[in-house]
Amino acid sequence: MPDSAEDRRDPAETFRREIVSFTRRGGRLTERQQDAWDAIADRFVVDVPRGLTSTSVAEGFTLDPAEVFGRSAPLVLEIGSGRGESLVHAALENPDTDFLGLEVYVPGVAQTLVSMRHSEVENIRLAVVDAVPALTRMLPAQSVDEVRVWFPDPWHKKRHQKRRLVTDDVVPLVHRVLRPGGAWRLATDWQDYADQMLEVVGRAEGFTTSGDWAERFEGRPVTRFEAKGIAKGRMIRDISATRMPA
């Protein structure tokens, strides 16, 4: 869905509109999703003050992870958490770690709540926020132990590729939120985007990387989305980098 006029006129979002990674935000909730939203969204979906758009972050707002989670623990950020398959799996496997999922598609957030409710997992918080303002100002500097970007929109049409999330422009934003020694993990089933990711990460200032494809991250389950890519014969590519000390 094309960006609305509201999206285009928000001055807070003009930083790099080409790295907005989503296509739509709305959509109807199923009865089960609505029920989960009504029951637990107040607790698990962060109430983010907005700028001019529904996925922006108001100037001056900074998230306090310890306050939001009610404890101090390692924090993993997943950008584009979708329906929450990877997020809920990771939270169940790592109860002593906190997980923050950014997702602009509200039914995806609601489905994550359904899964959380079913699994009785509580170390997840969700935010309906675009990645750029979240990385730029919502999250405190050096507050995240790991950033995960699983299967971002490849924007496969040439004229749309400027909208891809993983570009040179996003590197300093990821660097800003990661603690020294923190990991930046990526995966895609789109080879052209994988090549771009590898190039971006390979020259990323402040990061170290092998310069080659990484082994599959053991903590990432095979989601339905990934399974579809495999069924179509696509190669799954993993890339990883580590934030260097300041």
Side-chain angles (χ1 to χ4, degrees):
M1 180 179 295
D3 290 341
S4 67
E6 181 186 37
D7 288 331
R8 293 194 296 272
R9 70 171 179 262
D10 182 6
E13 299 306 312
T14 57
F15 171 71
R16 280 290 184 268
R17 289 301 298 171
E18 64 268 29
I19 53 176
V20 169
S21 59
F22 58 88
T23 56
R24 61 178 179 173
R25 299 186 299 273
R28 291 180 178 273
L29 303 185
T30 66
E31 183 176 348
R32 193 178 183 200
Q33 290 170 346
Q34 187 66 60
D35 184 52
W37 188 281
D38 293 341
I40 64 174
D42 284 350
R43 181 178 178 190
F44 295 110
V45 179
V46 180
D47 184 12
V48 178
R50 304 298 180 182
L52 296 180
T53 70
S54 60
T55 59
S56 62
V57 178
E59 293 285 352
F61 174 70
T62 303
L63 185 75
D64 183 344
E67 180 180 349
V68 167
F69 285 92
R71 65 177 184 177
S72 294
L75 178 62
V76 173
L77 173 68
E78 184 174 330
I79 298 175
S81 53
R83 296 168 57 88
E85 293 173 90
S86 297
L87 197 65
V88 173
H89 172 87
L92 282 168
E93 292 290 312
N94 302 275
D96 295 328
T97 298
D98 292 333
F99 293 84
L100 175 62
L102 304 183
E103 178 53 56
V104 298
Y105 185 47
V106 173
V109 175
Q111 186 59 41
T112 303
L113 294 175
V114 171
S115 298
M116 290 173 62
R117 198 179 186 189
H118 175 75
S119 303
E120 299 183 344
V121 63
E122 299 191 350
N123 54 326
I124 292 175
R125 297 295 181 271
L126 301 160
V128 184
V129 173
D130 182 20
V132 176
L135 294 171
T136 302
R137 58 181 174 272
M138 186 184 85
L139 288 163
Q142 298 187 27
S143 61
V144 176
D145 293 271
E146 191 167 311
V147 174
R148 298 176 179 177
V149 184
W150 302 145
F151 304 95
D153 194 324
W155 294 103
H156 61 276
K157 292 183 179 180
K158 189 71 174 178
R159 67 180 182 273
H160 292 155
Q161 289 182 5
K162 63 182 181 180
R163 293 173 177 250
R164 286 177 171 177
L165 174 66
V166 185
T167 66
D168 293 326
D169 292 315
V170 84
V171 170
L173 306 185
V174 175
H175 186 273
R176 174 187 168 274
V177 301
L178 270 177
R179 293 191 175 103
W184 183 14
R185 302 185 189 279
L186 309 100
T188 182
D189 63 342
W190 203 266
Q191 186 61 46
D192 174 68
Y193 200 4
D195 293 336
Q196 177 178 323
M197 289 179 175
L198 193 64
E199 291 175 3
V200 167
V201 171
R203 60 176 173 257
E205 186 174 351
F207 288 90
T208 60
T209 182
S210 69
D212 202 349
W213 308 117
E215 293 293 325
R216 179 189 172 84
F217 178 53
E218 293 182 355
R220 190 184 78 247
V222 178
T223 63
R224 284 185 290 178
F225 183 88
E226 181 176 352
K228 287 180 181 179
I230 295 171
K232 292 178 180 178
R234 295 176 184 158
M235 178 75 72
I236 308 302
R237 295 295 195 184
D238 281 71
I239 301 106
S240 66
T242 302
R243 186 196 189 278
M244 298 169 61

